[in-house]
Amino acid sequence: MTPAAQDQKLKGKETISEQNNNHEVSVKYRVTVVGSGNWGSVASKLIASNTLKLTSFHDEVRMWVYEEILATGEKLTDVINQTNENVKYLPGIKLGKNVIADPDLEHSVKDANMLVFVTPHQFMEGICKRLVGKIKGDVKALSLIKGMEVKMEGPCMISTLISEQLGVNCCVLMGANIANEIAVEKFSEATVGYREDKEIAQKWVQLFSTPYFLVSAVQDVEGVELCGTLKNVVAIAAGLVDGLEMGNNTKAAVMRIGLREMKAFSKLMFSSVKDSTFFESCGVADLITTCLGGRNRKVAEAFARSGGKRSFDELEAEMLQGQKLQGVSTAREVYELLSQRGWQELFPLFTSVHEICIGRLSPSAIVEYSEHTPNFSLVEGSAQLI
Amino acid sequence: MTPAAQDQKLKGKETISEQNNNHEVSVKYRVTVVGSGNWGSVASKLIASNTLKLTSFHDEVRMWVYEEILATGEKLTDVINQTNENVKYLPGIKLGKNVIADPDLEHSVKDANMLVFVTPHQFMEGICKRLVGKIKGDVKALSLIKGMEVKMEGPCMISTLISEQLGVNCCVLMGANIANEIAVEKFSEATVGYREDKEIAQKWVQLFSTPYFLVSAVQDVEGVELCGTLKNVVAIAAGLVDGLEMGNNTKAAVMRIGLREMKAFSKLMFSSVKDSTFFESCGVADLITTCLGGRNRKVAEAFARSGGKRSFDELEAEMLQGQKLQGVSTAREVYELLSQRGWQELFPLFTSVHEICIGRLSPSAIVEYSEHTPNFSLVEGSAQLI
């Protein structure tokens, strides 16, 4: 079904339900994008092209922008609203005239009933705290954020944080999504992960889908979200292989072992995680993209070329203009979770990546596996893990 | 368990079973490799390093070589036996002194009880015919050959051909295996596919495993073999994306859609095929290797760069020094099978690749999908296909 036809169908349904409540107005969704970096801007562009076409959405897409003063002395929000371009984080791309940049977080969300979160993950806890009591009661949320918080009882996913702090339904959208490539409308795919409500997931699919951006939904929010998080650890491993000049065979093998560990780790953390999720865009495709390009791969390559003599911190500072490498911190967080449980041997790749990052092992340890298939039968109730 | 320990265990078992038959000799396996190209030579090297170490194998590995007279006037077999190098197909690599090149096919196999087939697939039917009645009764076979024969009733896999023509058990070994990288002992993995007899599969695992070449076995001979065959069709698609300069996102998406179609096609052809096989080295890892390097990818890239104006035949002749592109012929064979059944719409990528190869569609059609998820529910009994 085309997005337009789907929209008509949903709209029909909503109108009927409204009539039952003796209201004859049709529900129109208002969308706010919380975040306006590279990916946030592209997400706003995708959404804005659809809200114009789909009758069940208000045309306007509000985008919360962390205000900055540009070198010209102008405010970033003013320039976005005048030019329809995020000149700082997505220069050269028109976002659509219906994208309205708003520097006031609370103001930007107050009328929205669909909230898309796309900020660096370390800011989310603070943003959620600010939004408590400031959003409408029936808001649906979607997280595009990769990363997790590690707690003793296991990983706390960003979608859970949003869901719990704001008391809202939160889906996730992940995939092989290099923002700049989607910005110029190159063909790509993405995966929406949802917990229970398939209709909400379909609404998100509809809001993002274009002929060049194919979105599908799977009922596995943790699986989709963990794919987006754990792939960065595998990208470090792939970068090490590149730096050691070990060739495509070895790189493919390391990526495969990484995918196996992503799957096993996710299933150990959340028994609801499905194998099939790893065949979706959020799984194998995002892993491929991240291990072919991407900054985790790149810095790890430089690290291996230096023979492990230069630290990740040093290379990061030199190569990434202040951005942080998510793979290194995720590897540490995963290692913490594994060592709390004594599971390091079950995850030789994840374990090695962390130990290489902190200098305990040399880069070449990335391909030194004494055992092929870790014995997961030692973990209770995990017969079908890999 | 290390290969040596496994060997001891197996040896113990065999000795016991021999004792029960009132023979007190331990069984020693003799291995012959039928084929001596690039991959055949590397396989011989891997095997020869293990037969020296493992007591349940005779040291000698016989390698059938299709005799050629070199530019120096010498016979290829003589040079291999003098230098321990296949100077024509794997120059610079010592195969091991226990590899004996034999130009006589029938002679090379007569004492073997383990036969490894690694020839171009179009020669296998003729080789099998020559071997009928010339091999020992209890021979076990392993096919490293990628490709299939298409018949009206479905694909006939090479392992089935060997099995039926010679009346022997035939396993397969596939994986992300660029011969030249394994030759220089870079880390890699492979998958053995077996039908029923796990002990035979373990024997093959033992024969090939080294610290840099990790082999695991799965009970899914058709799944493993179809991975090795179908990946070449996906590599054509990946090469087209490279030629169109569409970036890593699009390439990853096309590889993922290709993997989905490999899985769905395999399961339609053989209901025994398992999803998990596609997570093995023969699945996702071999797909990655083939789509990063490989000649199918390379020629398809050149084809797309020419805007489809130069034919695959012409580019093949120019770029591959007489080698044929397996992806183009496999795409045609797959297309035949799909069109016999009216299933083209279920496999948009496989179908497009063939139609692009024959000039019916332009290269850019590789990313023009009108439907995201093909509706497999139209095919009887296929609810769980994708």
Side-chain angles (χ1 to χ4, degrees):
Chain A
M1 198 184 291
T2 63
Q6 233 171 6
D7 185 51
Q8 282 307 322
K9 193 178 151 205
L10 282 164
K11 189 182 166 188
K13 201 178 262 176
E14 283 144 14
T15 309
I16 290 161
S17 109
E18 291 296 318
Q19 281 171 339
N20 291 343
N21 290 323
N22 297 322
H23 301 292
E24 288 233 355
V25 291
S26 69
V27 174
K28 283 215 178 206
Y29 292 91
R30 281 188 183 274
V31 186
T32 292
V33 177
V34 178
S36 57
N38 191 227
W39 184 211
S41 300
V42 175
S44 298
K45 173 183 185 279
L46 282 168
I47 293 168
S49 73
N50 281 324
T51 57
L52 284 183
K53 286 182 205 140
L54 302 172
T55 52
S56 66
F57 294 94
H58 279 278
D59 288 355
E60 182 186 297
V61 176
R62 203 151 274 268
M63 178 170 79
W64 173 60
V65 176
Y66 182 85
E67 190 67 283
E68 298 182 46
I69 306 300
L70 301 175
T72 57
E74 294 166 297
K75 287 181 178 170
L76 178 56
T77 50
D78 287 343
V79 177
I80 294 174
N81 288 330
Q82 283 152 23
T83 63
N84 301 128
E85 268 185 52
N86 186 336
V87 291
K88 178 137 188 196
Y89 297 106
L90 191 67
I93 303 291
K94 293 288 174 197
L95 301 180
K97 289 187 178 164
N98 51 329
V99 175
I100 309 297
D102 187 338
D104 180 336
L105 176 63
E106 289 81 354
H107 181 262
S108 73
V109 301
K110 76 178 177 48
D111 295 325
N113 27 34
M114 295 181 86
L115 285 179
V116 177
F117 290 99
V118 52
T119 66
H121 80 285
Q122 61 272 25
F123 299 152
M124 269 316 294
E125 198 149 1
I127 288 173
C128 282
K129 281 189 182 141
R130 282 176 61 185
L131 294 186
V132 174
K134 306 288 167 52
I135 57 173
K136 293 179 79 164
D138 61 345
V139 164
K140 313 298 176 205
L142 180 76
S143 169
L144 274 54
I145 301 164
K146 287 154 184 177
M148 58 182 175
E149 305 267 310
V150 174
K151 308 202 166 158
M152 272 303 282
E153 63 274 20
C156 173
M157 308 311 296
I158 303 294
S159 65
T160 308
L161 177 81
I162 294 170
S163 208
E164 289 181 354
Q165 298 233 359
L166 300 179
V168 298
N169 177 298
C170 188
C171 294
V172 298
L173 182 145
M174 307 274 150
N177 301 149
I178 299 171
N180 288 330
E181 295 185 7
I182 301 166
V184 294
E185 307 194 356
K186 287 187 173 169
F187 176 74
S188 186
E189 296 184 303
T191 313
V192 164
Y194 66 97
R195 202 172 297 278
E196 273 148 22
D197 195 331
K198 194 173 180 177
E199 248 180 77
I200 297 174
Q202 286 303 333
K203 203 81 198 159
W204 291 118
V205 167
Q206 200 186 13
L207 188 62
F208 277 83
S209 295
T210 73
Y212 64 87
F213 193 69
L214 302 186
V215 187
S216 55
V218 298
Q219 188 174 10
D220 183 4
V221 66
E222 284 94 357
V224 173
E225 198 165 1
L226 275 165
C227 278
T229 304
L230 297 172
K231 58 150 200 194
N232 288 324
V233 181
V234 187
I236 300 267
L240 295 171
V241 171
D242 284 344
L244 295 165
E245 296 181 6
M246 305 198 73
N248 287 341
N249 250 6
T250 305
K251 187 166 176 179
V254 161
M255 287 165 69
R256 187 198 83 79
I257 294 168
L259 186 64
R260 184 183 71 196
E261 295 194 7
M262 285 166 61
K263 187 153 69 77
F265 182 86
S266 302
K267 290 171 85 172
L268 274 173
M269 294 296 151
F270 300 97
S271 59
S272 59
V273 167
K274 296 173 181 166
D275 281 352
S276 55
T277 300
F278 298 81
F279 285 124
E280 297 293 334
S281 177
C282 62
V284 62
D286 195 11
L287 181 73
I288 292 170
T289 301
T290 311
C291 290
L292 294 187
R295 54 179 185 253
N296 289 286
R297 191 212 63 77
K298 187 174 149 189
V299 177
E301 182 182 12
F303 178 81
R305 285 196 195 283
S306 83
K309 293 208 181 81
R310 304 187 62 193
S311 73
F312 269 96
D313 282 343
E314 186 187 343
L315 290 163
E316 198 174 49
E318 182 179 302
M319 299 171 75
L320 299 183
Q321 291 89 38
Q323 284 186 297
K324 295 298 274 182
L325 274 192
Q326 223 161 24
V328 173
S329 56
T330 305
R332 188 187 61 243
E333 289 161 351
V334 167
Y335 189 89
E336 274 172 38
L337 290 167
L338 294 178
S339 47
Q340 277 166 18
R341 291 159 177 79
W343 289 345
Q344 293 103 317
E345 280 186 19
L346 299 176
F347 294 89
L349 186 132
F350 284 174
T351 301
S352 301
V353 167
H354 174 65
E355 294 189 335
I356 293 167
C357 286
I358 60 169
R360 196 183 294 161
L361 291 176
S362 77
S364 62
I366 199 61
V367 292
E368 286 155 15
Y369 300 107
S370 56
E371 291 275 343
H372 183 213
T373 305
N375 189 358
F376 281 99
S377 62
L378 302 173
V379 181
E380 218 176 314
S382 65
Q384 292 306 314
L385 267 180
I386 58 167
Chain B
M1 200 182 291
T2 64
Q6 233 170 3
D7 186 49
Q8 283 306 323
K9 193 180 154 205
L10 281 165
K11 191 183 166 187
K13 202 176 261 175
E14 282 146 15
T15 309
I16 290 161
S17 106
E18 291 297 319
Q19 282 171 336
N20 290 344
N21 290 324
N22 297 322
H23 301 292
E24 289 234 353
V25 291
S26 67
V27 175
K28 281 216 177 203
Y29 292 90
R30 280 188 182 274
V31 186
T32 292
V33 178
V34 177
S36 57
N38 192 226
W39 184 210
S41 301
V42 176
S44 297
K45 174 183 186 279
L46 283 168
I47 293 168
S49 73
N50 281 324
T51 57
L52 284 183
K53 285 183 207 141
L54 302 173
T55 52
S56 65
F57 294 94
H58 278 280
D59 288 356
E60 183 187 295
V61 176
R62 203 150 274 267
M63 177 170 81
W64 173 59
V65 176
Y66 181 85
E67 189 66 284
E68 298 182 46
I69 305 301
L70 300 174
T72 57
E74 294 166 296
K75 286 181 178 168
L76 179 56
T77 50
D78 287 343
V79 177
I80 294 174
N81 288 331
Q82 283 151 23
T83 63
N84 301 127
E85 268 186 52
N86 186 336
V87 290
K88 179 137 188 196
Y89 297 106
L90 191 65
I93 303 292
K94 294 289 174 196
L95 302 180
K97 288 186 178 164
N98 51 328
V99 174
I100 309 298
D102 187 337
D104 180 336
L105 176 62
E106 289 82 352
H107 181 263
S108 73
V109 301
K110 76 179 177 48
D111 296 324
N113 27 34
M114 294 182 86
L115 286 179
V116 177
F117 290 99
V118 51
T119 67
H121 80 286
Q122 60 272 27
F123 299 152
M124 269 316 295
E125 198 149 2
I127 287 172
C128 282
K129 280 189 183 141
R130 283 176 62 185
L131 294 186
V132 174
K134 304 288 166 53
I135 56 172
K136 293 178 79 163
D138 61 346
V139 165
K140 311 301 174 205
L142 180 77
S143 169
L144 273 54
I145 302 164
K146 286 152 183 178
M148 58 182 174
E149 305 267 309
V150 174
K151 308 202 165 158
M152 273 303 282
E153 63 273 20
C156 173
M157 308 311 294
I158 302 294
S159 65
T160 309
L161 178 82
I162 293 170
S163 208
E164 289 180 354
Q165 297 232 359
L166 300 180
V168 297
N169 177 299
C170 188
C171 294
V172 299
L173 182 146
M174 308 272 150
N177 300 150
I178 299 171
N180 289 330
E181 294 185 7
I182 301 166
V184 293
E185 307 194 355
K186 286 186 173 169
F187 176 74
S188 185
E189 296 185 302
T191 314
V192 164
Y194 67 97
R195 202 171 298 278
E196 274 148 21
D197 195 331
K198 193 173 180 177
E199 249 179 77
I200 297 174
Q202 285 304 334
K203 203 80 199 159
W204 290 118
V205 167
Q206 201 186 13
L207 188 62
F208 277 83
S209 295
T210 73
Y212 64 88
F213 193 70
L214 302 186
V215 187
S216 55
V218 298
Q219 188 174 10
D220 182 4
V221 66
E222 283 93 358
V224 174
E225 199 165 359
L226 275 165
C227 278
T229 305
L230 297 171
K231 58 151 199 193
N232 288 322
V233 182
V234 186
I236 300 267
L240 295 170
V241 171
D242 285 342
L244 295 165
E245 295 180 7
M246 304 197 73
N248 287 339
N249 249 6
T250 306
K251 187 166 175 178
V254 161
M255 287 166 67
R256 187 198 84 80
I257 294 169
L259 187 64
R260 185 183 70 197
E261 294 195 7
M262 285 167 60
K263 187 153 69 77
F265 182 86
S266 302
K267 290 171 84 172
L268 274 173
M269 294 296 152
F270 300 97
S271 58
S272 59
V273 168
K274 296 173 181 166
D275 282 353
S276 55
T277 299
F278 298 81
F279 285 125
E280 297 293 334
S281 176
C282 63
V284 62
D286 195 11
L287 181 73
I288 292 169
T289 301
T290 311
C291 291
L292 294 187
R295 55 178 185 254
N296 289 286
R297 192 211 61 78
K298 186 174 150 189
V299 177
E301 182 181 11
F303 177 82
R305 285 197 195 283
S306 84
K309 293 209 178 80
R310 303 188 63 193
S311 73
F312 269 96
D313 281 343
E314 186 188 342
L315 290 163
E316 199 174 50
E318 183 179 299
M319 298 171 75
L320 298 184
Q321 293 88 39
Q323 285 186 294
K324 296 296 276 182
L325 273 191
Q326 223 162 24
V328 174
S329 56
T330 305
R332 189 186 61 243
E333 289 161 352
V334 166
Y335 189 88
E336 275 172 37
L337 290 167
L338 295 178
S339 46
Q340 277 165 18
R341 292 159 175 79
W343 288 346
Q344 292 103 315
E345 281 186 18
L346 298 178
F347 293 90
L349 184 134
F350 284 173
T351 301
S352 301
V353 167
H354 174 65
E355 295 188 334
I356 293 167
C357 285
I358 61 170
R360 197 183 291 161
L361 290 176
S362 77
S364 63
I366 200 60
V367 292
E368 286 155 14
Y369 299 106
S370 55
E371 292 273 344
H372 183 213
T373 304
N375 188 357
F376 282 98
S377 62
L378 302 173
V379 181
E380 219 176 311
S382 64
Q384 292 306 315
L385 268 180
I386 57 167

